[in-house]
Amino acid sequence: MPTHPARGLAICLLLALLPATRANTDEPTYREIKPILQARCVLCHSGPQPPLGLSLDSLEQLLKGSQNGPIVRAGAPSSSKLINRLKGLSQPRMPMTGPPFLSEEEIALFERWITGGLKPGSAERSAEVDSSPSVSPGSAVNYAQVEKLLVRRCVKCHSPSGLMGGPPEGYLLTSYAATLSHEDRARVVPGSADSSELVRRIRGQARPRMPYDGPPFLDDTEIALIVDWINQGARDAQGKPASLPTGAKVRLHGRLEANWRLDSLPLKVNAATRLEHSPRTGDYVQVRGRLTSGGALIIERIRPRH
């Protein structure tokens, strides 16, 4: 049966459009990749000290790679370190804040971008992302500001599949709820940075000092940000202060001072407190206790540690 001329023309036009449509579908550009990087990756991979020197806040930095070399190879997704990290074929799997990790569709998008030759999609340079804390002294601090710092320096270990396997001592720093969890013990005591194990670790009052990959450790401005956040009530991202975990266990390390003080932190010692191995002023000690409703520490045990 002969084809009507108009119908034949329409079919030809449709066939002519199909290759372009397929190209747009199969070969995404950096413009489609960038939002995923900004949402899931640049919290760690940006700023002055990104892991392994790998910044992902611009196409130029992504193509530059890390101190170990390029992370993407045009036309070869299976040989690209980025894909192997996203899939978990190389450990630790990325992003470090997972699970959830990237979806299969998102990973496939990266693979198609690499297969298509790493097309930029725009002549515009992407704006660099500053993940360093920018809070003036005395201003209100919430978790959204602290999260950037925790993700960049701490989550690489304190995540379900971190550099050390599981999170050290089971402590996750991948979310607000995990950071404030007191299921095992309270590492953050809202309203009292001096009573918070997290602070004592980053200050170096407790050993080993954190982050574990330091030096460099957190600088004075970064530590002050976390101290202010906790002293202001450990607010969530919306600014709501956390509740005090009354009765929660607390475990601290530090230098025992006169009158039952731990690096200037007053301890409530009573007749029920167990003093193991005769701790003395000047000893580096471990202190275990519980929080009262007023935020004070009722000490159950003190013992020297070496």
Side-chain angles (χ1 to χ4, degrees):
M1 175 181 289
T3 303
H4 190 279
R7 181 180 300 173
L9 178 60
I11 293 174
C12 290
L13 288 173
L14 179 60
L15 292 174
L17 289 172
L18 282 177
T21 303
R22 187 179 300 114
N24 288 337
T25 301
D26 294 343
E27 297 181 1
T29 68
Y30 178 72
R31 295 180 65 181
E32 288 76 54
I33 298 298
K34 179 181 175 181
I36 302 175
L37 293 174
Q38 290 185 327
R40 300 300 308 276
C41 306
V42 298
L43 277 175
C44 282
H45 290 281
S46 63
Q49 296 175 338
L52 295 178
L54 175 62
S55 291
L56 296 175
D57 49 15
S58 71
L59 176 58
E60 293 80 7
Q61 292 293 335
L62 188 157
L63 297 179
K64 179 181 177 182
S66 73
Q67 64 189 36
N68 294 330
I71 63 168
V72 291
R73 294 181 56 192
S78 62
S79 301
S80 296
K81 296 178 181 179
L82 175 62
I83 297 300
N84 291 332
R85 291 286 190 180
L86 293 179
K87 287 185 171 181
L89 300 176
S90 297
Q91 294 296 324
R93 186 173 183 178
M94 295 293 165
M96 193 67 79
T97 52
F101 298 103
L102 299 193
S103 67
E104 293 181 3
E105 292 77 11
E106 289 172 321
I107 295 175
L109 184 70
F110 276 85
E111 290 180 310
R112 295 201 307 274
W113 177 59
I114 294 171
T115 299
L118 307 172
K119 291 181 172 63
S122 173
E124 297 178 2
R125 294 170 61 91
S126 57
E128 293 188 0
V129 177
D130 182 10
S131 65
S132 59
S134 56
V135 180
S136 57
S139 61
V141 182
N142 63 41
Y143 178 71
Q145 295 147 316
V146 171
E147 181 186 26
K148 296 179 181 180
L149 183 54
L150 296 178
V151 170
R152 181 161 56 85
R153 295 301 310 275
C154 308
V155 168
K156 65 186 73 174
C157 290
H158 290 274
S159 61
S161 300
L163 294 177
M164 298 182 179
E169 299 188 10
Y171 187 36
L172 293 169
L173 287 168
T174 51
S175 69
Y176 176 75
T179 302
L180 267 68
S181 173
H182 54 274
E183 182 176 352
D184 174 23
R185 63 181 184 272
R187 274 90 166 190
V188 171
V189 178
S192 179
D194 288 342
S195 302
S196 298
E197 185 178 355
L198 174 62
V199 169
R200 302 184 71 82
R201 290 286 185 184
I202 63 176
R203 282 175 172 168
Q205 293 169 312
R207 301 194 296 257
R209 186 172 184 176
M210 296 292 165
Y212 197 68
D213 61 352
F217 298 105
L218 302 190
D219 61 32
D220 291 344
T221 300
E222 293 169 327
I223 293 174
L225 179 76
I226 295 178
V227 168
D228 286 347
W229 173 61
I230 294 175
N231 282 338
Q232 293 174 17
R235 295 182 176 96
D236 63 15
Q238 288 71 46
K240 180 181 178 181
S243 300
L244 185 70
T246 301
K249 296 179 181 178
V250 175
R251 190 190 75 184
L252 304 175
H253 292 81
R255 195 68 56 186
L256 187 64
E257 297 181 353
N259 301 318
W260 300 113
R261 303 174 77 86
L262 187 70
D263 297 312
S264 301
L265 173 70
L267 307 174
K268 286 188 174 295
V269 176
N270 55 38
T273 303
R274 293 159 50 193
L275 303 177
E276 298 182 358
H277 308 296
S278 304
R280 296 177 297 180
T281 299
D283 285 349
Y284 178 77
V285 298
Q286 180 191 89
V287 171
R288 291 180 180 264
R290 292 184 181 271
L291 285 170
T292 68
S293 58
L297 291 175
I298 299 295
I299 304 306
E300 298 173 342
R301 183 175 73 178
I302 302 176
R303 62 173 177 170
R305 296 300 299 268
H306 302 287

